Amino acid sequence: MNRVRVGALLSGRGSNLQALLDAAQAPDCPYQIVLAISNKPGVQGLERAAAAGVPTAVLPHRDFTGREAFEQAMTAKLEAAGAELVAQAGFMRVVTGRFVTRWRDRLVNIHPSLLPAFPGLDTHARALEAGVKLHGCTVHLVRETVDRGPILGQAAVPVLPDDDTETLAARVLEAEHRLYPLCLSLLAAGHVRVEGEAAHVESPGKPLPLLINPAGSDTSASDVAAS
Ligand code: GRF
């Protein structure tokens, strides 16, 4: 089988990269990770890639004269590795329009919120502050505007009354690790069609009909006793 070649961009821990690598172990996975690039030296994500036998490159962004020079170096490495798709996995740099154009509809990102809610940083603290009852993560194609772009998939988790940012982040991260390999596989296998700013995705399974929080999908208002 000809697997689609994916280059990963990261800046840190690399747990999402690990999930992508683990899924790629399956013989029928439609993608393979062929390169991991970090803009930070010595991060755990690089170790994870190396442990999986994936070539790594470190391109410290500060070594370059500007964002475009940095991105040109990334593109050169990605091209040399024969990358057809690029997956940002905890990559903490905003990319320019030129990079987005070069990799248009082939550059993917995972964001820890249900976009378009909570773009940017500190998503879990902001979700708690806003009192939302469902939170989650989004895999989307990258556009020039940060954390915007055609959505390939989302996973929702409940926000529980006792949550703090750590417990909520951990629940979302688990969802990220399931969602990202699925979405990357769907993209690699050609199940995504982009129309304007929306992506149409062929779902491999039946979606859950409903997710309600508080309570579960099998409870209703008549279960709530008057106080
Ligand atoms: C994840 O929460 C991801 O959604 C965000 O940055 C975090 C990276 O975590 N973009 P890891 O490096 O994949 O563990």
Side-chain angles (χ1 to χ4, degrees), residues 10-98:
L10 61 113
S11 305
R13 175 178 63 178
S15 71
N16 276 290
L17 172 66
Q18 189 68 60
L20 296 179
L21 289 166
D22 290 348
Q25 296 287 321
D28 57 349
C29 182
Y31 70 81
Q32 57 174 322
I33 306 289
V34 294
L35 173 67
I37 300 177
S38 173
N39 65 312
K40 292 206 172 148
V43 295
Q44 196 186 353
L46 288 166
E47 288 166 26
R48 294 178 191 268
V54 170
T56 59
V58 178
L59 297 174
H61 56 277
R62 288 208 181 86
D63 289 0
F64 295 86
T65 48
R67 283 204 293 167
E68 294 214 338
F70 166 61
E71 291 172 358
Q72 270 168 24
M74 286 201 298
T75 292
K77 292 266 181 215
L78 290 163
E79 284 173 349
E84 298 156 276
L85 297 176
V86 181
Q88 299 187 164
F91 180 61
M92 300 307 284
R93 304 296 303 164
V94 173
V95 293
T96 66
R98 183 183 269 201

Side-chain angles (χ1 to χ4, degrees), residues 58-145:
V58 178
L59 297 174
H61 56 277
R62 288 208 181 86
D63 289 0
F64 295 86
T65 48
R67 283 204 293 167
E68 294 214 338
F70 166 61
E71 291 172 358
Q72 270 168 24
M74 286 201 298
T75 292
K77 292 266 181 215
L78 290 163
E79 284 173 349
E84 298 156 276
L85 297 176
V86 181
Q88 299 187 164
F91 180 61
M92 300 307 284
R93 304 296 303 164
V94 173
V95 293
T96 66
R98 183 183 269 201
F99 192 74
V100 171
T101 301
R102 167 62 186 83
W103 297 100
R104 192 171 175 85
D105 294 345
R106 288 177 295 151
L107 174 62
V108 195
N109 182 47
I110 183 151
H111 180 76
S113 78
L114 293 172
L115 291 172
F118 313 122
L121 299 174
D122 302 322
T123 55
H124 308 308
R126 286 156 64 209
L128 287 172
E129 203 175 289
V132 296
K133 300 294 176 267
L134 296 174
H135 185 42
C137 51
T138 302
V139 174
H140 65 97
L141 296 171
V142 175
R143 291 289 187 260
E144 232 177 298
T145 308

